[in-house]
Amino acid sequence: MDGLTAWPTPERRKGVAQIKPEFLIHPAGGRTEESASGVERDDAAEASGSRYQADNRSDNRSNNRSNRSDNRQNGRDKKNKQKGQNSNRHFGSSRDKFPLCNSRVTKPEFSPDECQFGDKCKLEHNLRKYLKEGKREDLTVLGGLCPTWDSTGVCPVGWKCRFVASHSEERDTEDGRKELVLIEDAERIAKAKELPGTEDEVGVVNVVSKEAKSNLSKRITKTPKSDAYLEWTTKIIDQGRKNNERQGIREDIGLTKAMADNASAKQEAAENDAPSRGKNAEGASGKNEPMEEAAQENQAQYIEPPFLPSEKRRIYYGPETPILAPLTTQGNLPFRRLCVELGAQVTWSEMAMGMNLIQGERSEWALMKAHESEIRPPKYSPTAGIVEGYDNSKDIKFGAQIAANKPWLAVKTTEILTSHCPNLRAIDLNCGCPIELVCRDGAGSALLDSAGKLENILRGMNAVSQEVPITVKIRMGTKDRAPTADKLIKRLVLGGYETHAAGLGISGVAAITLHGRSKQQRYTRSADWGYIAECSALIASLKKERWDATDTAREADARHAPSNGKVYFVGNGDCYSHTDYQDHLQHAGVDSVMVARGALIKPWIFEEIESGQHLDKSATERLAYVEKFVKYGLQNWGSDEIGVGTTRKFLLEWLSFACRYVPVAMLEHLPPNIQDRAQPFRGRNELEALMSSDNYRDWIKISEMFLGPIHPNFRFEPKHKSNSYDIQAEG
């Protein structure tokens, strides 16, 4: 105990999660300051992985520059102490030694069904040989019971299941032979039929058929609403250019300016045509021909919009609706399902790339799947503020987030989404992703610098989304210490100058989420909740301004204004406890708070928010959440070798965040701060020490508790290179 007196005094220090003296250990035995920094790997909370990396050479060059710094600590060689983020990670593969033919996967051993490829098929047809030599032994974890069969009574991967012993048996046939057969459970099947979803994916909604995805990839699927809307905007732009040429203006004009010209033509035509009709009624002849010609010219210039947006379903945000952020990589269905069980009231899909959806890519459409628990209504307390026209019974928790860089892409993606996914609370446009590949193409945070373009994108999405509301997630701006979100918010709520001139109405967003950091800032420094509060006050004043300034003669159609014109405002950034949540509601004036990294580190933060207290989760309780995630993962990705490998990969991704949790009973100061890094500490037992380890090999040990030994070809590379200096040790 004498050695403990050398540690800092209990006064709170910025950036340090101070541990009570009885739990402190010497730094050499615990996590290092560098490995706990976590700034770069925290980018995974918004976007990470190969889906957003076309060329990693520039990233590798920057990583090489960071690796040049000497590492004199403990005399380690530079090569063994890498820094920065693994920009091009590989996870190896998890496959059977030799695969079983699909014609045999779900059939009894002596099934008369023949393979359609006959003798040309190179896959295995001998079931006993496959079970003995082709696949690894059955798993005994999770009680040896297949999670999918346990919940639905049928396992779609059949003999390939790593728990196949739990739903198969050997039976005697009439001719005296012993036959291996798969077992189905009628009682479980009956219960599963009560749940939504398809036969193969019970309890899962927004499942798009192979045929639909094939039609998208072959460009068979049409987008008539988008085509009509885009044709209208193109005609307006062309007309605006002609007007410019007529007036001797050479520079190009924007879409909103062209729309303003179009609306002006309509107004002038109406004003000029009215007196003309009056004169003609009086029998005047020849004297009003110039006026009539001008009226006819203006009328010819005006192009009627093809349709108005549909009236949107009302949504609600309030103190009782904490939100799980769109988490790329870890915002998968099993993790969202776990968070919903723990109290998350609104969930979002991972950010999906619009082009990939339009092209029918299977992996991108998989992001749109939602668990049946996500299509239940969120909590709603009318005492918090009754919303006109809101029907909680028709509301759901799950929404889809997309990324797009051009109006046509966003509009078509929206129409296709609403046509194929019947269970969407809203569609959110991502304008906050800071990843370079996304921004380089003009999507994500790059849209923050194109306010007019962004407004038009949202208006177009609103026009074709049927009853599904449109929302947007933004950052403070692109440059550090130069916030522009306030100006952008004003434009999105009230409309730009050209929009007013055109009488087009507002963009139609139902909610705006502001992440209190800039694109350049990424995750460095704390989120600026003071600025979020300023923007919240701005939205409140804009609503009053809009009502005061309403010109009934030019009032926009009500369908342009979801929720009767109310724009919900959500704050995002550094919410790590129920005290953070309540503080942001009270002092920032937001309608609700979106939780990102806080949920990755401790998904029970939603439970804390509901109970209004810090929860000291034991290691056993935390491990139970890991077990649930594994079960949900195997149900979602399959219980065969590939599904086990996929579940393990996403579990390890989650553990790379979860290991940063410090039990509240060990902290000198509450509430905890997400930006603070803990001093080296020992757990209250071996399991707690294991779950607090930031060494990826310990994460693999945890995965093996529920998924068995890793596949010989599986490998895991952490996001942060400080954890992967000996990655080659894992074959």
Side-chain angles (χ1 to χ4, degrees):
M1 295 294 293
D2 292 339
L4 299 177
T5 58
W7 286 96
T9 57
E11 287 82 7
R12 190 156 196 167
R13 295 191 302 163
K14 185 177 181 181
V16 178
Q18 290 176 251
I19 307 297
K20 292 179 179 178
E22 59 266 32
F23 301 111
L24 290 172
I25 59 176
H26 192 274
R31 61 185 70 198
T32 64
E33 181 181 350
E34 179 182 310
S35 66
S37 63
V39 172
E40 290 194 37
R41 58 179 171 175
D42 278 354
D43 283 329
E46 281 198 84
S48 178
S50 58
R51 293 171 62 233
Y52 312 108
Q53 294 166 359
D55 186 354
N56 294 304
R57 287 175 293 180
S58 59
D59 291 334
N60 292 335
R61 285 195 292 269
S62 63
N63 287 333
N64 289 337
R65 287 194 293 270
S66 68
N67 291 339
R68 291 172 189 163
S69 60
D70 291 335
N71 175 29
R72 298 181 177 88
Q73 182 183 3
N74 298 328
R76 290 179 180 172
D77 185 75
K78 288 186 292 184
K79 295 180 181 178
N80 292 335
K81 192 66 175 179
Q82 300 183 63
K83 297 181 181 180
Q85 188 178 14
N86 275 321
S87 58
N88 190 17
R89 299 188 295 152
H90 300 281
F91 298 94
S93 64
S94 298
R95 296 182 180 276
D96 291 332
K97 188 174 181 180
F98 52 83
L100 181 68
C101 179
N102 285 336
S103 66
R104 318 303 302 163
V105 169
T106 58
K107 301 295 175 58
E109 182 180 7
F110 302 145
S111 171
D113 295 349
E114 296 182 0
C115 174
Q116 61 176 327
F117 300 104
D119 296 336
K120 295 181 180 180
C121 183
K122 298 181 180 179
L123 304 181
E124 185 58 53
H125 295 81
N126 187 320
L127 181 57
R128 291 185 184 264
K129 180 180 179 182
Y130 165 76
L131 294 176
K132 184 178 180 180
E133 304 174 18
K135 62 177 288 192
R136 292 198 292 164
E137 67 282 357
D138 271 9
L139 293 172
T140 58
V141 295
L142 302 177
L145 184 62
C146 170
T148 303
W149 186 88
D150 186 35
S151 62
T152 66
V154 180
C155 179
V157 296
W159 296 109
K160 296 193 295 182
C161 177
R162 293 290 307 280
F163 301 87
V164 71
S166 67
H167 51 76
S168 66
E169 63 181 13
E170 193 175 54
R171 294 177 180 172
D172 293 328
T173 62
E174 294 180 355
D175 58 2
R177 293 186 297 173
K178 293 186 178 297
E179 181 183 25
L180 293 173
V181 296
L182 295 169
I183 301 172
E184 296 182 354
D185 186 276
E187 185 177 347
R188 287 181 169 92
I189 292 173
K191 286 185 178 180
K193 285 184 177 179
E194 298 175 1
L195 299 173
T198 63
E199 183 178 348
D200 292 338
E201 298 188 73
V202 176
V204 178
V205 299
N206 294 338
V207 179
V208 180
S209 67
K210 292 181 180 178
E211 182 183 3
K213 285 178 279 195
S214 176
N215 289 341
L216 285 168
S217 65
K218 295 176 182 178
R219 300 184 180 182
I220 297 175
T221 303
K222 304 301 180 183
T223 53
K225 278 198 166 187
S226 298
D227 294 340
Y229 180 84
L230 294 168
E231 183 181 0
W232 174 63
T233 57
T234 300
K235 287 180 179 178
I236 291 175
I237 291 176
D238 290 342
Q239 185 61 56
R241 290 193 179 116
K242 291 178 182 177
N243 290 343
N244 279 0
E245 292 174 2
R246 193 179 298 117
Q247 299 171 23
I249 302 174
R250 293 186 178 181
E251 67 268 17
D252 197 7
I253 64 171
L255 179 58
T256 51
K257 175 65 164 59
M259 287 180 170
D261 290 342
N262 187 58
S264 177
K266 176 185 179 182
Q267 185 176 0
E268 291 177 14
E271 292 173 352
N272 293 334
D273 195 32
S276 173
R277 288 195 301 269
K279 295 277 186 174
N280 288 336
E282 295 173 4
S285 176
K287 297 180 181 179
N288 298 304
E289 290 181 2
M291 187 174 294
E292 289 177 2
E293 291 177 2
Q296 290 173 1
E297 184 179 353
N298 283 321
Q299 285 177 328
Q301 289 180 6
Y302 175 68
I303 304 170
E304 185 74 33
F307 49 79
L308 285 171
S310 303
E311 188 168 356
K312 305 301 173 188
R313 186 191 327 112
R314 302 288 196 261
I315 60 173
Y316 169 78
Y317 285 114
E320 68 274 44
T321 59
I323 305 162
L324 177 65
L327 301 170
T328 301
T329 302
Q330 197 51 48
N332 47 65
L333 184 149
F335 184 75
R336 297 196 314 267
R337 182 179 174 184
L338 176 63
C339 288
V340 167
E341 283 190 12
L342 293 172
Q345 296 302 311
V346 177
T347 61
W348 290 98
S349 74
E350 301 177 44
M351 181 181 72
M353 306 304 291
M355 183 61 74
N356 295 346
L357 290 172
I358 288 177
Q359 293 175 343
E361 289 194 13
R362 184 179 64 177
S363 59
E364 214 73 13
W365 278 102
L367 304 181
M368 298 299 108
K369 295 179 183 178
H371 186 254
E372 59 94 14
S373 62
E374 296 181 275
I375 62 171
R376 298 171 189 167
K379 286 187 176 180
Y380 173 56
S381 174
T383 57
I386 299 175
V387 180
E388 182 180 347
Y390 175 70
D391 186 350
N392 182 251
S393 65
K394 295 183 179 178
D395 198 2
I396 63 174
K397 296 181 173 71
F398 177 76
Q401 188 187 65
I402 64 171
N405 59 350
K406 292 180 174 64
W408 72 265
L409 178 58
V411 172
K412 284 180 175 287
T413 301
T414 300
E415 182 175 0
I416 287 172
L417 268 179
T418 53
S419 299
H420 289 77
C421 297
N423 297 284
L424 292 177
R425 182 179 208 251
I427 297 177
D428 186 76
L429 180 66
N430 183 301
C431 299
C433 178
I435 300 303
E436 186 57 35
L437 180 62
V438 176
C439 296
R440 189 194 315 157
D441 291 338
S445 294
L447 286 171
L448 300 176
D449 288 335
S450 304
K453 178 181 178 182
L454 174 57
E455 183 185 359
N456 289 314
I457 286 177
L458 293 169
R459 182 178 292 106
M461 292 172 65
N462 192 49
V464 302
S465 67
Q466 302 180 47
E467 67 170 3
V468 180
I470 300 299
T471 65
V472 63
K473 186 172 187 282
I474 63 176
R475 282 196 173 216
M476 290 170 56
T478 54
K479 301 297 183 183
D480 201 6
R481 296 185 176 87
T484 57
D486 52 337
K487 296 178 182 177
L488 181 59
I489 288 172
K490 185 172 183 179
R491 181 171 195 130
L492 296 182
V493 174
L494 293 182
Y497 173 80
E498 304 93 339
T499 305
H500 281 290
L504 292 172
I506 55 179
S507 64
V509 291
I512 298 172
T513 300
L514 175 59
H515 184 171
R517 291 183 175 89
S518 66
K519 170 185 177 291
Q520 184 180 6
Q521 190 179 347
R522 295 178 84 117
Y523 282 92
T524 59
R525 301 193 307 278
S526 299
D528 190 345
W529 277 91
Y531 184 73
I532 293 177
E534 292 176 16
C535 291
S536 178
L538 173 65
I539 283 189
S541 66
L542 290 178
K543 183 176 180 181
K544 183 177 184 302
E545 179 181 337
R546 188 167 64 200
W547 282 108
D548 292 344
T550 297
D551 180 352
T552 55
R554 297 196 315 169
E555 187 175 356
D557 190 284
R559 286 172 289 187
H560 288 285
S563 298
N564 198 32
K566 178 177 176 57
V567 178
Y568 287 100
F569 187 60
V570 177
N572 173 221
D574 296 350
C575 183
Y576 191 45
S577 66
H578 72 281
T579 53
D580 289 337
Y581 186 84
Q582 294 299 332
D583 179 72
H584 298 332
L585 290 178
Q586 294 172 16
H587 297 104
V590 294
D591 293 302
S592 187
V593 178
M594 181 177 283
V595 186
R597 290 177 298 161
L600 290 173
I601 297 171
K602 55 172 188 180
W604 60 90
I605 184 175
F606 300 105
E607 192 179 348
E608 289 188 341
I609 290 170
E610 185 175 359
S611 64
Q613 59 182 327
H614 297 289
L615 299 177
D616 184 19
K617 294 288 183 178
S618 67
T620 303
E621 290 176 294
R622 292 161 60 193
L623 197 65
Y625 296 145
V626 172
E627 181 179 7
K628 274 192 173 184
F629 176 82
V630 168
K631 286 183 177 179
Y632 298 159
L634 293 174
Q635 290 174 11
N636 186 59
W637 294 302
S639 51
D640 59 347
E641 192 70 73
I642 295 175
V644 169
T646 303
T647 301
R648 192 190 307 273
K649 182 186 77 169
F650 284 109
L651 172 61
L652 295 174
E653 295 277 23
W654 174 30
L655 292 177
S656 71
F657 281 94
C659 69
R660 287 163 50 178
Y661 172 70
V662 181
V664 292
M666 294 185 178
L667 292 171
E668 286 276 17
H669 305 283
L670 293 176
N673 188 308
I674 198 170
Q675 295 293 88
D676 291 348
R677 295 295 177 258
Q679 300 166 296
F681 66 91
R682 62 171 60 88
R684 290 169 289 187
N685 52 53
E686 289 187 8
L687 181 57
E688 192 165 71
L690 178 66
M691 298 196 72
S692 298
S693 171
D694 63 352
N695 190 313
Y696 76 97
R697 290 171 295 182
D698 288 328
W699 309 339
I700 291 177
K701 289 179 184 177
I702 295 173
S703 78
E704 290 179 331
M705 293 181 185
F706 304 106
L707 294 168
I710 62 172
H711 191 282
N713 296 329
F714 178 86
R715 56 186 297 182
F716 177 73
E717 298 185 16
K719 299 181 187 74
H720 203 265
K721 288 190 174 182
S722 62
N723 282 330
S724 57
Y725 57 88
D726 57 353
I727 191 69
Q728 294 180 357
E730 296 296 333

